[in-house]
Amino acid sequence: MTTTMAPNETLDRRLAARVGTIVIARHGQPHADRSVVIDRAGYREWWAGYDRAGLHPDERPPEKLVKLAERSDIIYASTLQRAIHTAQMVAGGREIITDPVFIEAPLPPPGVWGKRRPGAWGVWARAAWLLGMHEEGESLRQAEVRAEAAVATLTAQALRGQNVLLCAHGWFNRMMRPVLRRQGWREVEDGGDSYWSYRRYEKVK
């Protein structure tokens, strides 16, 4: 007996037979002054400005990331301007899907005093956040749940045969890595963690 599949079922099976890749990139260098020496209140203001900033005018995307964007079927970005600007620079005018699920894990001012540069404040802030100090913002556990949701967004498309590119943030990108590994995604290209860096993932067969 011959079974005839409906056209939609045939398409679904064909897509399921091919799994796409996932590329997760960090944004380029933001247009922000890291040389200032500021106190705790100043750091709060600086970080708020950082979240509003696009990329430095001199920034240019690496050719390898542009090529990966050309081969991507879907390009995502977080809703923060530095990630959107990064995606725009590699997308070549194509559609970008923004989603707040991909925004950076928060860096509230730590409970320490004195004056220091933003980079030093960031180290203190991340350590304090990892120890459970998050003021009224997102906690580590909440960010971990969000990382699972972010990965689900990416893998839903890749498992349908789409190549996916995400332009997001340094720390939150790190938080998605163990989730991808647990779900059988292998890191096949490691571009590091600096500005414009990316990592490429394929599904383990």
Side-chain angles (χ1 to χ4, degrees):
M1 184 176 68
T2 302
T3 303
T4 303
M5 292 186 293
N8 287 345
E9 186 179 356
T10 302
L11 176 61
D12 288 344
R13 288 195 180 186
R14 192 161 63 244
L15 287 173
R18 175 190 176 273
V19 176
T21 61
I22 297 173
V23 176
I24 299 180
R26 187 185 178 196
H27 56 77
Q29 181 176 350
H31 195 190
D33 185 0
R34 291 183 172 273
S35 67
V36 294
V37 178
I38 48 180
D39 60 12
R40 187 171 186 267
Y43 172 69
R44 187 189 298 276
E45 294 175 6
W46 186 92
W47 184 258
Y50 184 81
D51 275 348
R52 294 190 297 268
L55 300 188
H56 190 278
D58 294 337
E59 286 294 275
R60 297 293 182 271
E63 188 62 27
K64 289 182 70 174
L65 187 57
V66 172
K67 293 295 185 185
L68 286 170
E70 290 173 354
R71 296 199 295 267
S72 297
D73 301 295
I74 301 173
I75 300 176
Y76 285 105
S78 92
T79 51
L80 294 176
Q81 190 58 40
R82 59 190 183 273
I84 294 173
H85 196 176
T86 298
Q88 289 171 336
M89 291 185 74
V90 300
R94 295 166 56 199
E95 179 187 11
I96 297 164
I97 302 172
T98 60
D99 193 325
V101 76
F102 300 119
I103 64 172
E104 181 61 295
L107 278 175
V112 296
W113 305 104
K115 292 187 176 183
R116 50 189 62 85
R117 288 188 171 86
W121 276 110
V123 172
W124 281 94
R126 183 59 71 205
W129 183 75
L130 290 170
L131 290 171
M133 303 172 193
H134 54 87
E135 295 186 330
E136 299 301 318
E138 183 180 47
S139 68
L140 172 59
R141 179 55 190 149
Q142 289 168 331
E144 289 172 340
V145 171
R146 181 163 62 86
E148 293 174 359
V151 167
T153 299
L154 302 176
T155 57
Q157 301 300 328
L159 291 173
R160 295 187 69 252
Q162 305 293 297
N163 291 327
V164 181
L165 168 64
L166 167 65
C167 297
H169 306 273
W171 193 266
F172 193 69
N173 289 358
R174 288 184 181 91
M175 296 187 70
M176 287 187 280
R177 291 176 202 164
V179 182
L180 285 161
R181 285 195 294 268
R182 287 197 300 270
Q183 296 183 13
W185 291 86
R186 180 180 60 190
E187 187 179 286
V188 295
E189 191 170 358
D190 176 358
D193 296 305
S194 57
Y195 295 130
W196 295 110
S197 64
Y198 67 87
R199 294 172 188 249
R200 186 165 62 87
Y201 297 86
E202 292 180 356
K203 185 70 171 171
V204 177
K205 304 229 173 157

